[in-house]
Amino acid sequence: MHILHTCSYVLAIAVYVSGSICVCSCRRSNDSKHFCFYQSTRDLQTILNILCILNELVSVGGGRRVGVLVSKGGTAILLQLLITTSKEWPPSEELMLQLHTILAKVGPKDRKFGIKARINGALNITVSLLKQNLQNHKLLLPCLQVLRVYSANSVNAVSLGKNGVVELLFKIIGPYSKKNTSILKVTLDTLAALLKSKANARRAVDRTYVPTLLAVYQDWHRNDTRHRHVHIRKAILGCIRNITNIKLGRKAFLEADGMRILYSTSTECLSVRTLDPLINTSSLIMRKCFPKNRLPVPTIRSVFHYQLPHIPAEGPVAQLYRQPPDVDDVVDESDDNDDTEADTENDTENEEDEKNHKTQNDDIETDISKLRPKENLTRPLEDLKMYECFFPELSENFQGYSFDSSKSCQTPAVLPKSLAPIVVPTAHAPSPLSLAQGELTDLPLDLDSICISKDGPGGAGGAGEGLAQELERVALEEDTLNGQSQSPVVGSLQGELEHDDDCSSHSSGELGVLEVPDTAALLPLHDPELYIDMVKGTKSVPQYTEVAYPDYFGHVAPTFREHILERVYGVQRAKIFQDIERMIHPNDILDKVVYDLDLKRSPVIDDGESLKFNSQFESGNLRKAVQVRKFEYDLILNSDINSNHYHQWFYFEVSGMRVGSSYRFNIINCEKVNSQFNYGMQVLMYSVQEAISGHPRWVRTGTEICYYKNHFSRSSIAAGGQKGKSYYTMTFTVTFQYRDDVCYFAYHYPYTYSTLKMHLQKLEALRTPQIYLRQDVLCETLGGNSCPLLTITAMPQSSSNDQICQFKNRPYVFLTARVHPGETNASWVMKGTLEFLMSPSPMAQSLRESYVFKIVPMLNPDGVINGNHRCSLSGEDLNRQWQRPSPDLHPTIFHTKGLLQYLSSIQRVPLVYCDYHGHSRKKNVFMYGCSIKETLWQTNVNAAACDLQEDLSYRTLPKILSQLAPAFSMASCSFVVEKSKESTARVVVWREIGVQKSYTMESTLCGCDQGKYKGLQIGTRELEEMGAQFCIALLRLKRLSSPLEFRNSSHFLDVENDLIESRCKVTSSTTYVLDEDEPSFMEEVDYSAESNDEPEPDPDPQETPADEDGLSDSELALRRS
Ligand SMILES: [Zn+2]
């Protein structure tokens, strides 16, 4: 009775489906015929007939008919039928065959099929049917197909595993045979699905199925010579891949000689392009199973030690100091929780949850009170008084200054360039002064004592002595005694460059005697001698005495174009195979340390056989170099001081090269999951031979560049509580052109602190009587270096009241740069800005007459000097300290904020604030700003956003820039305030100081994908141009705000349209930013995915369109993009 009832429903569905087919102009069947069936469904035969019809109906017309069946509740009815028929009489083979055939079609179209099957108790029926019919191939196939759908559900997978299905499937898997390949394929797919459960993977390891699978794979590899069954071979690899997601599986794989097996089968496949999917999967498995190693360094903490005046109570540095000594040992691999049965009952059960789980960014600030201006100043007014001396322009009346002597370049007597640093009082140094600038030179400042009081032991205190000692050492080594002056040594390899006779006459005091390329005409702001002078005053933690040639000679931007590299297919795979060979053929590996800063006395190991490395100069970063093969070197970067990570910046010297050989360099401790090195960015190289022959320049260089996860990792404790973190390799290949060359490699165009000081001195020379330029020292850094502060505006035309009044009332523009030392591009942009501001052009003059510029061109001198990437000596990211900067740990931020707070306290809040940065993961130049409305739009607090009045002019400056500057992209800008950014300059200056136009300007390290520079890598010329265009944009901003021009330029303020555009766009969840400089990666490709422990399931190879000729997913995505 039951059955009949159910069957009538099935029939009803059959009728319905057939009806819809009729509508679809398939008129073979007629309704009355089906109606007859409806009346006579009384026995097994009838049910079979109905199922036959149903089967026929759903076999044609693609998936649409099945879709209808599913949407009408067909799945449940069919499953019910399966249950009842299996209960009421010994199951009819024919009925089971028909039912499973339909279920195999329905299952993949019903997202809840797995759950429904489990709830109805269908799993065991299929399983027992399988057990009884292992030899019955006709029935086996549909049953396996249904089982494959069951297994896709993780809860089902666990329960099926407990019922012995893994073992059952292994009975079906056999050696190579041309027969029954479809059954084998479905079996393998089902097995792969089951093995995603850790419990099942463990079961498979216990039953020693790993060597079995490897043997089966080899068998198919050997016999499938015409590659007819690539899908089966891929499916076997799929099983191995899932088993090796657990630690035991990886162990079993290694013990079964899996590395060698997959390596040799893969290399045999290399010549056949259609076998790429096999090679890619094999490579993924091998990388995963490659034993994790710790980096070959004694500790991942910085090799340089700097004792902080005090260690903050909490935060990353406190954590670092609390760590036990052997903390970076890789204790374990990623799946520590192997033994918990966490993967059992609640994995992907709730699809509803998944659906509701929108990709909401939980970093968006939703607390409106945190978006509203913060009124109360954190520092009392009396305290801010000390900054008055940095603003003499506000009180100056220019009496007695002769304005008509326009020819004389005489600096106004009241405005001397400050000679001695102003030491702003800090907690350690009680206020020595709040005096006018002119009196400074008379101050009884004992600079030495200040240095000592500020430097802890191990700091740069007593640098003079240290310098001399270092010099002596270097001088001895260099065999040039009597180095009486404190001249730093230029480079370290004079000997190798002495081929030039003119250079051999070492004059007594000069160590670095080289023919300096005559670039004065091309580089008006560069002066090698002045650079050396500047270096003498620069205090580094390692007490560097050498100067790198590129900084000494300078850089003349090349005139040729440097294109973003096209990625060559298969490069990453080839590199990974070379890495795997290290394990396969360990005897071919030299493993010879050739440079090691941990050997403090003699880091350079030179036996004439290997390349010679050096990084002991300002901004240098290279900790260790290991020669792996004759022409291959592993390089390890140094962590930021007082930190155990943040390495990305590199700058080092190489010599002793052979001409014409290709050298492979691998930086093996990169941290980011992806890099622009995967998207066409090259490293920079500077050849001293080229420089001497008249081309002192950094050029983009390197081939076979790629970036991928490697087999080095650190312990979870060292990684700050996160799971053990893998490192990434950035590899590049270089062929050197000159014999006896000295070459330098860098992450980006270097720009040292000494370079800044040299440029600032040279800027003085550009001063005209129209220009008001002041250079002050804002404060001293922890490392004892001064932090320069510039004031640039126009001199008043006369001392008349009107003129002085206009002078004093110019709005302020406040600019900062280089808080992150690795972002050297920020300094090049700043250089462009400064040179524009000092230029004699009418536009520059007009700009000077419009604003007073306050500029801190380098917020983090210590970080820059010591080759840090992100932090200052305090081991902290200074751009996360703006809310509560500490006067002794973050003096540059504390006092820069102080200047802004002072301006705010006297009602002179700047019109614009901008902090220049560099961006490592995006192309173009763009800005981040702050808008309450645009932030709230990201959330669901729309009601609140609508009430809110907000001045939209924060969009004007970026808009102008997008029209002016070819590298600038409005589409990449974002005006969202993120929680993680609440202590950055941009957000604090906006919220606490009240600067509406407060920005971060990010310049790409790579290149542009739009505008005039589309397809080109960025160079210093473009960066400097950007800095100049920023100035021009400010001038236009000024003109726009004057009523006369406003009318004519209203298109600039077409903000409403803009906003609508951007509002549509932001819902795509990609325009807002995830973390300061590295927003969520916007390009499709993610190479890290290839090596993830839980990779995405591969699409069924049979379903993959043929034109995608076996590229890996990531490479396909790359091709599409
Ligand atoms: Zn930055």
PDB file of all heavy atoms in Angstrom, residues 157 160-171 173 191 194-195 199-201 203-204 207 209:
ATOM      1  N   ALA A 157      31.125  10.904   4.957  1.00  0.00           N
ATOM      2  CA  ALA A 157      32.433  10.300   4.715  1.00  0.00           C
ATOM      3  C   ALA A 157      32.924   9.598   5.974  1.00  0.00           C
ATOM      4  O   ALA A 157      33.414   8.479   5.919  1.00  0.00           O
ATOM      5  CB  ALA A 157      33.423  11.367   4.259  1.00  0.00           C
ATOM      6  N   LEU A 160      30.690   6.453   6.589  1.00  0.00           N
ATOM      7  CA  LEU A 160      30.998   5.408   5.608  1.00  0.00           C
ATOM      8  C   LEU A 160      32.334   4.745   5.931  1.00  0.00           C
ATOM      9  O   LEU A 160      32.494   3.534   5.813  1.00  0.00           O
ATOM     10  CB  LEU A 160      31.019   5.990   4.193  1.00  0.00           C
ATOM     11  CG  LEU A 160      29.658   6.413   3.615  1.00  0.00           C
ATOM     12  CD1 LEU A 160      29.831   7.240   2.347  1.00  0.00           C
ATOM     13  CD2 LEU A 160      28.776   5.197   3.348  1.00  0.00           C
ATOM     14  N   GLY A 161      33.299   5.582   6.348  1.00  0.00           N
ATOM     15  CA  GLY A 161      34.604   5.041   6.708  1.00  0.00           C
ATOM     16  C   GLY A 161      34.493   4.042   7.842  1.00  0.00           C
ATOM     17  O   GLY A 161      35.092   2.979   7.822  1.00  0.00           O
ATOM     18  N   LYS A 162      33.644   4.394   8.840  1.00  0.00           N
ATOM     19  CA  LYS A 162      33.463   3.490   9.977  1.00  0.00           C
ATOM     20  C   LYS A 162      32.840   2.169   9.530  1.00  0.00           C
ATOM     21  O   LYS A 162      33.059   1.131  10.145  1.00  0.00           O
ATOM     22  CB  LYS A 162      32.568   4.146  11.030  1.00  0.00           C
ATOM     23  CG  LYS A 162      33.310   5.178  11.876  1.00  0.00           C
ATOM     24  CD  LYS A 162      32.392   5.773  12.928  1.00  0.00           C
ATOM     25  CE  LYS A 162      33.090   6.921  13.645  1.00  0.00           C
ATOM     26  NZ  LYS A 162      32.112   7.856  14.226  1.00  0.00           N
ATOM     27  N   ASN A 163      32.069   2.231   8.485  1.00  0.00           N
ATOM     28  CA  ASN A 163      31.419   1.016   7.988  1.00  0.00           C
ATOM     29  C   ASN A 163      32.294   0.243   7.010  1.00  0.00           C
ATOM     30  O   ASN A 163      31.795  -0.602   6.275  1.00  0.00           O
ATOM     31  CB  ASN A 163      30.091   1.364   7.320  1.00  0.00           C
ATOM     32  CG  ASN A 163      29.026   1.652   8.362  1.00  0.00           C
ATOM     33  OD1 ASN A 163      29.151   1.226   9.515  1.00  0.00           O
ATOM     34  ND2 ASN A 163      28.012   2.384   7.972  1.00  0.00           N
ATOM     35  N   GLY A 164      33.556   0.572   6.940  1.00  0.00           N
ATOM     36  CA  GLY A 164      34.480  -0.242   6.151  1.00  0.00           C
ATOM     37  C   GLY A 164      34.491   0.056   4.663  1.00  0.00           C
ATOM     38  O   GLY A 164      34.942  -0.754   3.862  1.00  0.00           O
ATOM     39  N   VAL A 165      33.995   1.218   4.281  1.00  0.00           N
ATOM     40  CA  VAL A 165      33.909   1.494   2.848  1.00  0.00           C
ATOM     41  C   VAL A 165      35.295   1.728   2.228  1.00  0.00           C
ATOM     42  O   VAL A 165      35.530   1.371   1.078  1.00  0.00           O
ATOM     43  CB  VAL A 165      32.965   2.686   2.569  1.00  0.00           C
ATOM     44  CG1 VAL A 165      32.914   3.016   1.094  1.00  0.00           C
ATOM     45  CG2 VAL A 165      31.564   2.351   3.065  1.00  0.00           C
ATOM     46  N   VAL A 166      36.217   2.297   3.005  1.00  0.00           N
ATOM     47  CA  VAL A 166      37.565   2.517   2.470  1.00  0.00           C
ATOM     48  C   VAL A 166      38.166   1.166   2.058  1.00  0.00           C
ATOM     49  O   VAL A 166      38.667   1.000   0.941  1.00  0.00           O
ATOM     50  CB  VAL A 166      38.458   3.211   3.514  1.00  0.00           C
ATOM     51  CG1 VAL A 166      39.899   3.290   3.033  1.00  0.00           C
ATOM     52  CG2 VAL A 166      37.929   4.605   3.828  1.00  0.00           C
ATOM     53  N   GLU A 167      38.044   0.187   2.955  1.00  0.00           N
ATOM     54  CA  GLU A 167      38.585  -1.141   2.657  1.00  0.00           C
ATOM     55  C   GLU A 167      37.859  -1.756   1.469  1.00  0.00           C
ATOM     56  O   GLU A 167      38.479  -2.376   0.601  1.00  0.00           O
ATOM     57  CB  GLU A 167      38.442  -2.051   3.882  1.00  0.00           C
ATOM     58  CG  GLU A 167      39.318  -1.662   5.070  1.00  0.00           C
ATOM     59  CD  GLU A 167      38.711  -0.557   5.938  1.00  0.00           C
ATOM     60  OE1 GLU A 167      37.692   0.042   5.546  1.00  0.00           O
ATOM     61  OE2 GLU A 167      39.256  -0.297   7.031  1.00  0.00           O
ATOM     62  N   LEU A 168      36.541  -1.533   1.452  1.00  0.00           N
ATOM     63  CA  LEU A 168      35.730  -2.067   0.365  1.00  0.00           C
ATOM     64  C   LEU A 168      36.211  -1.543  -0.988  1.00  0.00           C
ATOM     65  O   LEU A 168      36.373  -2.300  -1.953  1.00  0.00           O
ATOM     66  CB  LEU A 168      34.265  -1.665   0.608  1.00  0.00           C
ATOM     67  CG  LEU A 168      33.217  -2.253  -0.329  1.00  0.00           C
ATOM     68  CD1 LEU A 168      33.135  -3.760  -0.127  1.00  0.00           C
ATOM     69  CD2 LEU A 168      31.852  -1.618  -0.067  1.00  0.00           C
ATOM     70  N   LEU A 169      36.450  -0.253  -1.030  1.00  0.00           N
ATOM     71  CA  LEU A 169      36.857   0.360  -2.297  1.00  0.00           C
ATOM     72  C   LEU A 169      38.222  -0.182  -2.743  1.00  0.00           C
ATOM     73  O   LEU A 169      38.467  -0.352  -3.937  1.00  0.00           O
ATOM     74  CB  LEU A 169      36.895   1.882  -2.170  1.00  0.00           C
ATOM     75  CG  LEU A 169      35.529   2.558  -1.967  1.00  0.00           C
ATOM     76  CD1 LEU A 169      35.694   4.040  -1.700  1.00  0.00           C
ATOM     77  CD2 LEU A 169      34.626   2.332  -3.170  1.00  0.00           C
ATOM     78  N   PHE A 170      39.083  -0.436  -1.752  1.00  0.00           N
ATOM     79  CA  PHE A 170      40.403  -0.941  -2.123  1.00  0.00           C
ATOM     80  C   PHE A 170      40.328  -2.328  -2.753  1.00  0.00           C
ATOM     81  O   PHE A 170      41.230  -2.746  -3.458  1.00  0.00           O
ATOM     82  CB  PHE A 170      41.351  -0.931  -0.912  1.00  0.00           C
ATOM     83  CG  PHE A 170      42.207   0.294  -0.905  1.00  0.00           C
ATOM     84  CD1 PHE A 170      41.838   1.417  -0.195  1.00  0.00           C
ATOM     85  CD2 PHE A 170      43.371   0.341  -1.669  1.00  0.00           C
ATOM     86  CE1 PHE A 170      42.603   2.556  -0.211  1.00  0.00           C
ATOM     87  CE2 PHE A 170      44.142   1.490  -1.695  1.00  0.00           C
ATOM     88  CZ  PHE A 170      43.757   2.594  -0.960  1.00  0.00           C
ATOM     89  N   LYS A 171      39.208  -3.049  -2.500  1.00  0.00           N
ATOM     90  CA  LYS A 171      39.048  -4.350  -3.150  1.00  0.00           C
ATOM     91  C   LYS A 171      38.782  -4.180  -4.641  1.00  0.00           C
ATOM     92  O   LYS A 171      39.022  -5.085  -5.432  1.00  0.00           O
ATOM     93  CB  LYS A 171      37.895  -5.120  -2.504  1.00  0.00           C
ATOM     94  CG  LYS A 171      38.225  -5.607  -1.114  1.00  0.00           C
ATOM     95  CD  LYS A 171      37.086  -6.442  -0.553  1.00  0.00           C
ATOM     96  CE  LYS A 171      37.397  -6.834   0.896  1.00  0.00           C
ATOM     97  NZ  LYS A 171      36.182  -7.191   1.627  1.00  0.00           N
ATOM     98  N   ILE A 173      39.962  -1.509  -6.505  1.00  0.00           N
ATOM     99  CA  ILE A 173      41.111  -0.915  -7.191  1.00  0.00           C
ATOM    100  C   ILE A 173      42.125  -2.003  -7.542  1.00  0.00           C
ATOM    101  O   ILE A 173      42.557  -2.755  -6.675  1.00  0.00           O
ATOM    102  CB  ILE A 173      41.780   0.139  -6.289  1.00  0.00           C
ATOM    103  CG1 ILE A 173      40.806   1.283  -6.050  1.00  0.00           C
ATOM    104  CG2 ILE A 173      43.072   0.659  -6.926  1.00  0.00           C
ATOM    105  CD1 ILE A 173      41.227   2.242  -4.985  1.00  0.00           C
ATOM    106  N   LEU A 191      36.913   7.256  -3.250  1.00  0.00           N
ATOM    107  CA  LEU A 191      37.952   7.070  -2.241  1.00  0.00           C
ATOM    108  C   LEU A 191      38.598   8.410  -1.892  1.00  0.00           C
ATOM    109  O   LEU A 191      38.797   8.741  -0.717  1.00  0.00           O
ATOM    110  CB  LEU A 191      39.004   6.098  -2.786  1.00  0.00           C
ATOM    111  CG  LEU A 191      40.113   5.720  -1.811  1.00  0.00           C
ATOM    112  CD1 LEU A 191      39.536   4.995  -0.603  1.00  0.00           C
ATOM    113  CD2 LEU A 191      41.162   4.846  -2.503  1.00  0.00           C
ATOM    114  N   LEU A 194      36.396  10.273   0.379  1.00  0.00           N
ATOM    115  CA  LEU A 194      36.400   9.723   1.740  1.00  0.00           C
ATOM    116  C   LEU A 194      37.680  10.087   2.477  1.00  0.00           C
ATOM    117  O   LEU A 194      37.676  10.343   3.683  1.00  0.00           O
ATOM    118  CB  LEU A 194      36.253   8.197   1.699  1.00  0.00           C
ATOM    119  CG  LEU A 194      34.913   7.651   1.214  1.00  0.00           C
ATOM    120  CD1 LEU A 194      34.937   6.128   1.180  1.00  0.00           C
ATOM    121  CD2 LEU A 194      33.778   8.114   2.132  1.00  0.00           C
ATOM    122  N   LEU A 195      38.788  10.138   1.726  1.00  0.00           N
ATOM    123  CA  LEU A 195      40.081  10.370   2.378  1.00  0.00           C
ATOM    124  C   LEU A 195      40.269  11.817   2.822  1.00  0.00           C
ATOM    125  O   LEU A 195      41.246  12.154   3.480  1.00  0.00           O
ATOM    126  CB  LEU A 195      41.219   9.959   1.439  1.00  0.00           C
ATOM    127  CG  LEU A 195      41.320   8.444   1.187  1.00  0.00           C
ATOM    128  CD1 LEU A 195      42.349   8.142   0.130  1.00  0.00           C
ATOM    129  CD2 LEU A 195      41.630   7.704   2.482  1.00  0.00           C
ATOM    130  N   ALA A 199      40.021  10.866   9.765  1.00  0.00           N
ATOM    131  CA  ALA A 199      39.880   9.531  10.328  1.00  0.00           C
ATOM    132  C   ALA A 199      40.072   8.487   9.227  1.00  0.00           C
ATOM    133  O   ALA A 199      40.761   7.485   9.420  1.00  0.00           O
ATOM    134  CB  ALA A 199      38.509   9.388  10.976  1.00  0.00           C
ATOM    135  N   ASN A 200      39.479   8.760   8.062  1.00  0.00           N
ATOM    136  CA  ASN A 200      39.625   7.811   6.959  1.00  0.00           C
ATOM    137  C   ASN A 200      41.055   7.776   6.439  1.00  0.00           C
ATOM    138  O   ASN A 200      41.567   6.725   6.072  1.00  0.00           O
ATOM    139  CB  ASN A 200      38.685   8.187   5.813  1.00  0.00           C
ATOM    140  CG  ASN A 200      37.226   7.917   6.175  1.00  0.00           C
ATOM    141  OD1 ASN A 200      36.961   7.163   7.114  1.00  0.00           O
ATOM    142  ND2 ASN A 200      36.317   8.535   5.447  1.00  0.00           N
ATOM    143  N   ALA A 201      41.689   8.942   6.411  1.00  0.00           N
ATOM    144  CA  ALA A 201      43.073   8.985   5.941  1.00  0.00           C
ATOM    145  C   ALA A 201      43.942   8.152   6.880  1.00  0.00           C
ATOM    146  O   ALA A 201      44.803   7.389   6.440  1.00  0.00           O
ATOM    147  CB  ALA A 201      43.556  10.425   5.881  1.00  0.00           C
ATOM    148  N   ARG A 203      42.943   5.675   8.681  1.00  0.00           N
ATOM    149  CA  ARG A 203      42.583   4.288   8.417  1.00  0.00           C
ATOM    150  C   ARG A 203      43.378   3.762   7.220  1.00  0.00           C
ATOM    151  O   ARG A 203      43.952   2.671   7.256  1.00  0.00           O
ATOM    152  CB  ARG A 203      41.081   4.235   8.129  1.00  0.00           C
ATOM    153  CG  ARG A 203      40.468   2.871   8.215  1.00  0.00           C
ATOM    154  CD  ARG A 203      38.943   2.970   8.225  1.00  0.00           C
ATOM    155  NE  ARG A 203      38.401   3.326   9.520  1.00  0.00           N
ATOM    156  CZ  ARG A 203      37.611   4.379   9.754  1.00  0.00           C
ATOM    157  NH1 ARG A 203      37.293   5.194   8.768  1.00  0.00           N
ATOM    158  NH2 ARG A 203      37.171   4.624  10.959  1.00  0.00           N
ATOM    159  N   ALA A 204      43.450   4.572   6.182  1.00  0.00           N
ATOM    160  CA  ALA A 204      44.164   4.148   4.976  1.00  0.00           C
ATOM    161  C   ALA A 204      45.653   3.961   5.261  1.00  0.00           C
ATOM    162  O   ALA A 204      46.276   3.021   4.765  1.00  0.00           O
ATOM    163  CB  ALA A 204      43.964   5.177   3.870  1.00  0.00           C
ATOM    164  N   ARG A 207      46.175   0.702   7.144  1.00  0.00           N
ATOM    165  CA  ARG A 207      46.046  -0.488   6.286  1.00  0.00           C
ATOM    166  C   ARG A 207      47.152  -0.533   5.228  1.00  0.00           C
ATOM    167  O   ARG A 207      47.045  -1.275   4.268  1.00  0.00           O
ATOM    168  CB  ARG A 207      44.699  -0.482   5.559  1.00  0.00           C
ATOM    169  CG  ARG A 207      43.476  -0.359   6.440  1.00  0.00           C
ATOM    170  CD  ARG A 207      43.045  -1.714   6.998  1.00  0.00           C
ATOM    171  NE  ARG A 207      41.751  -1.596   7.673  1.00  0.00           N
ATOM    172  CZ  ARG A 207      41.595  -1.116   8.907  1.00  0.00           C
ATOM    173  NH1 ARG A 207      42.634  -0.703   9.582  1.00  0.00           N
ATOM    174  NH2 ARG A 207      40.386  -1.042   9.458  1.00  0.00           N
ATOM    175  N   TYR A 209      47.810   1.465   2.800  1.00  0.00           N
ATOM    176  CA  TYR A 209      47.334   1.724   1.452  1.00  0.00           C
ATOM    177  C   TYR A 209      48.202   2.740   0.703  1.00  0.00           C
ATOM    178  O   TYR A 209      48.079   2.880  -0.501  1.00  0.00           O
ATOM    179  CB  TYR A 209      45.883   2.227   1.478  1.00  0.00           C
ATOM    180  CG  TYR A 209      44.875   1.167   1.870  1.00  0.00           C
ATOM    181  CD1 TYR A 209      43.688   1.508   2.506  1.00  0.00           C
ATOM    182  CD2 TYR A 209      45.108  -0.186   1.581  1.00  0.00           C
ATOM    183  CE1 TYR A 209      42.754   0.547   2.858  1.00  0.00           C
ATOM    184  CE2 TYR A 209      44.182  -1.154   1.937  1.00  0.00           C
ATOM    185  CZ  TYR A 209      43.005  -0.790   2.577  1.00  0.00           C
ATOM    186  OH  TYR A 209      42.093  -1.747   2.915  1.00  0.00           O
TER     187      TYR A 209
END
